[in-house]
Amino acid sequence: MSDEQSRITTLEELVAYQAKTIEELSDQVAEQWKVVEQTRLKLDRLAERFLTLEDQTMDAPAITKPPHY
């Protein structure tokens, strides 16, 4: 095998390895994006629930001492 052919083969192997790595990284980013979206939805639901509970406690009558104190 000539030196030029050897270099071409080495470059082709490198490109194939890099393409595989890029595909794996892309899959990981897609999976992490799903997790981020799920977490964001949970946070939105918790924030809404917190605001609802906060509104309910604001409407509650003030705690006062019973008349016998």
Side-chain angles (χ1 to χ4, degrees), residues 37-54:
E37 283 298 310
Q38 291 171 350
T39 304
R40 186 187 61 78
L41 290 173
K42 287 179 182 178
L43 179 61
D44 289 346
R45 286 194 304 261
L46 284 172
E48 185 64 34
R49 188 171 169 195
F50 174 77
L51 291 173
T52 301
L53 289 172
E54 189 176 52

Side-chain angles (χ1 to χ4, degrees), residues 5 7 10 13 20 24-26 34 37 39 41 45 50 57 66:
Q5 185 63 33
R7 286 182 64 215
T10 302
E13 289 173 353
K20 180 178 180 265
E24 289 172 351
L25 289 172
S26 177
K34 288 178 188 176
E37 283 298 310
T39 304
L41 290 173
R45 286 194 304 261
F50 174 77
T57 57

